[in-house]
Amino acid sequence: MYKMSLMPLFTAEAIQEMVQLLGEKIARNYKFDTIVGLLTGSFVFVSDLCRHFPDPKIKVLFIKASSYGDSTESSGKLDVSLAKDLDISGKKVLLVDDILDTGLTLQGMVKFLQEKGAAEVRSCVLLEKRARRKADIKADFVGFSIEDGFVVGYGLDCAGEYRTMPDIWTLEPET
Ligand code: 5GP
Ligand code: MG
């Protein structure tokens, strides 16, 4: 079993500051027309981030990519769903995920969107974990960077729980 850290790792205020900086950086560096968010973990991040791109033409789409069961370890196997009617042919896509951990999800999804005909795919993650990278991939835009640890809150879950919490917390093994 796991318990929450005593203090948030990132407070709601720190997250909002970071999302604003990230939004401004993306707006300066990448002219895109479609945001593709990966459900479910990125739904809060996408909703905050997208409001820094006040261009009426930008579309927001969500697809689901699961590699996690109800545990804190990646299964490594990617299952893509909700993408049946995804129309991104010729589009310049900003792919948004919550966490870059082993990199298998982001690598798989960049390839998936390219195969669907996207003209360009650049990626953005709320948080990257440096310690456990397996795939040779970097996100183009990164919010927070931590060494390791399992985090929840601000859309991130553990077995479906913790998503509605405004701060980001670390889950620690119960001793
Ligand atoms: P990767 O394929 O890079 O190993 O894992 C990426 C996916 O695993 C993310 O989209 C995220 O859903 C999930 N994930 C990885 N680390 C964490 C974490 O610390 N907390 C939560 N809640 N999900 C994580
Ligand atoms: Mg995910």
Side-chain angles (χ1 to χ4, degrees):
M1 286 312 282
Y2 292 86
K3 63 173 168 38
M4 281 165 62
S5 47
L6 289 176
M7 302 281 284
L9 181 61
F10 301 112
T11 62
E13 292 74 22
I15 296 168
Q16 289 314 316
E17 273 174 37
M18 190 283 298
V19 172
Q20 174 161 356
L21 288 176
L22 199 55
E24 288 167 359
K25 185 172 179 192
I26 295 168
R28 275 198 308 275
N29 289 285
Y30 185 37
K31 200 94 199 96
F32 58 93
D33 46 45
T34 308
I35 295 171
V36 175
L38 296 187
L39 292 173
T40 304
S42 76
F43 78 105
V44 179
F45 180 40
V46 169
S47 75
D48 282 343
L49 186 68
C50 74
R51 280 174 279 181
H52 293 284
F53 313 122
D55 173 346
K57 299 261 184 230
I58 291 179
K59 295 183 176 165
V60 182
L61 311 174
F62 284 97
I63 58 181
K64 193 164 171 71
S66 332
S67 69
Y68 268 59
D70 276 358
S71 83
T72 57
E73 275 296 312
S74 177
S75 70
K77 200 179 138 285
L78 211 56
D79 189 33
V80 183
S81 51
L82 304 177
K84 198 161 65 72
D85 301 318
L86 188 74
D87 180 15
I88 51 155
S89 180
K91 302 291 186 201
K92 294 178 79 168
V93 174
L94 180 69
L95 172 63
V96 181
D97 200 7
D98 48 4
I99 297 190
L100 174 62
D101 185 15
T102 65
L104 294 169
T105 303
L106 204 63
Q107 189 179 52
M109 293 317 297
V110 168
K111 187 160 170 274
F112 178 84
L113 296 173
Q114 284 166 343
E115 284 170 1
K116 287 269 176 194
E120 188 170 356
V121 182
R122 294 198 202 173
S123 56
C124 170
V125 295
L126 171 68
L127 190 151
E128 71 161 8
K129 293 196 238 170
R130 296 183 297 266
R132 306 204 313 156
R133 198 82 73 254
K134 286 186 194 152
D136 182 20
I137 186 162
K138 278 190 184 141
D140 297 290
F141 305 99
V142 177
F144 298 112
S145 184
I146 63 172
E147 190 56 26
D148 203 355
F150 192 82
V151 295
V152 294
Y154 194 70
L156 310 172
D157 77 312
C158 182
E161 300 180 351
Y162 301 95
R163 288 198 201 277
T164 63
M165 297 167 56
D167 307 304
I168 292 176
W169 303 76
T170 306
L171 284 195
E172 289 152 2
E174 204 134 36
T175 44

